[in-house]
Amino acid sequence: LIFSMMGVLNFAHASFYMLGAYFAYQTSTYLGFWPALVIAPLAVAFLGALTERYGLRTVHRYGHVAELLFTFGLAYIIEEFVHLLWGRAPVEYKIPEILDFSAFSIFSTQYPAYRVFMMLMSVGMLACLYLVLTRTRIGLIIQASLTHPEMVEALGHNVPSVFMTVFAGGAALAGLAGVIGGNAFVTEPGMAASVGTIVFVVVVFGGMGSLAGAFIASLIIGAVQTFSVAFDYSLATLLTGLGVQLNTESAWYELWKVTIAQAAPVLPYILMVFMLIVRPKGLMGTREG
């Protein structure tokens, strides 16, 4: 959303995700989870609006490098802010009791109801975003501001305000993801760094500026990460099965022995590099990245 609209590759996006989790934790302590589901994203959206108005808008005139440096530095500032306010240890942000049960079982594996809730919220966010951008007047103004900003201003719309609204909306979505993901995983100061790189892989693999591409890429990357850990096969296994005799004294032999499960953490990045080689725009990219 932010890249396709503003051309800004926001390295602090995962930090807004982290803030959503921490704001939800603090809010849920006093008001409960459901109010936090609304309050935390709005608070992150407010910070996103301030970031665009008094930060990105100022450095925009100096080009994309300045924007990248600004968002990169902002990520470190947010992390230090979290350290000062909540400390370095994980906080006890728990799943709400009403959703803390098993929804169903698959092959004797219990599937938590909260994971179903997360999935429904994710699909709902994507559907709402798609409908707003493609079926409403606001969406038309947003898309027109990208391609014909002068004409949009001539029609009486404030393009800088549109940009600020888009950035705040993107930050709110990241904050909402933090609300529903912070308690399912671990809410701690390193959560932004852990999710930031994989988000970048999804954006690049799906195609910068493509909402549908990001959705498809997230499913592909998620499936690769989930199922690859179950495959205890290697190139050595494959070649031996084909009757190829490997030289066990070779320096490459240890590499051939690496299993898919062992290589699982780096497979998404290998897919990203492969996509950049074959199709630099990504699966459904509309902009050059």
Side-chain angles (χ1 to χ4, degrees):
L1 176 65
I2 292 175
F3 182 86
S4 63
M5 176 64 194
M6 305 172 63
V8 176
L9 189 58
N10 182 16
F11 276 103
H13 199 66
S15 299
F16 288 124
Y17 159 79
M18 177 174 64
L19 284 178
Y22 273 99
F23 288 168
Y25 156 72
Q26 200 67 55
T27 305
S28 63
T29 302
Y30 300 101
L31 302 176
F33 174 76
W34 301 108
L37 193 61
V38 177
I39 295 173
L42 291 178
V44 177
F46 177 72
L47 291 178
L50 292 179
T51 299
E52 196 284 330
R53 176 61 184 85
Y54 298 104
L56 280 172
R57 192 178 302 183
T58 302
V59 302
H60 179 71
R61 72 189 72 172
Y62 302 109
H64 292 306
V65 174
E67 292 171 341
L68 290 175
L69 292 174
F70 173 80
T71 57
F72 195 76
L74 179 63
Y76 279 101
I77 292 174
I78 292 175
E79 183 176 346
E80 289 304 316
F81 170 80
V82 168
H83 286 160
L84 290 172
L85 209 57
W86 288 285
R88 297 180 180 273
V91 296
E92 292 188 17
Y93 178 33
K94 298 179 180 179
I95 293 173
E97 292 184 5
I98 194 173
L99 294 174
D100 194 11
F101 64 94
S102 175
F104 53 85
S105 60
I106 302 178
F107 301 114
S108 73
T109 300
Q110 301 297 318
Y111 198 84
Y114 192 73
R115 292 297 180 114
V116 177
F117 172 73
M118 290 175 66
M119 180 176 64
L120 293 176
M121 285 292 296
S122 301
V123 173
M125 281 193 293
L126 183 71
C128 290
L129 186 60
Y130 176 79
L131 291 175
V132 167
L133 291 177
T134 61
R135 297 290 186 271
T136 66
R137 185 169 180 269
I138 295 175
L140 292 176
I141 293 173
I142 289 174
Q143 295 187 62
S145 298
L146 170 64
T147 55
H148 301 88
E150 295 85 2
M151 182 63 69
V152 173
E153 284 190 336
L155 292 173
H157 299 289
N158 189 330
V159 173
S161 295
V162 173
F163 284 176
M164 183 176 67
T165 303
V166 169
F167 194 90
L173 290 175
L176 182 56
V179 175
I180 64 176
N183 49 12
F185 307 108
V186 180
T187 300
E188 49 91 21
M191 63 188 298
S194 63
V195 76
T197 53
I198 200 65
V199 168
F200 182 72
V201 170
V202 169
V203 171
V204 173
F205 189 86
M208 292 190 175
S210 172
L211 191 63
F215 174 67
I216 295 172
S218 65
L219 293 179
I220 293 174
I221 298 300
V224 167
Q225 283 189 307
T226 302
F227 294 111
S228 59
V229 296
F231 290 95
D232 196 24
Y233 301 101
S234 64
L235 285 175
T237 305
L238 176 62
L239 294 174
T240 303
L242 294 175
V244 178
Q245 296 295 324
L246 297 176
N247 182 9
T248 57
E249 301 298 328
S250 172
W252 292 94
Y253 183 67
E254 291 300 321
L255 180 62
W256 304 137
K257 288 174 60 181
V258 175
T259 64
I260 296 176
Q262 291 173 323
V266 300
L267 287 180
Y269 305 99
I270 294 174
L271 287 176
M272 181 185 72
V273 172
F274 178 76
M275 179 60 71
L276 289 173
I277 294 172
V278 176
R279 183 177 168 83
K281 287 186 177 181
L283 284 176
M284 304 177 68
T286 57
R287 290 180 66 112
E288 292 288 352

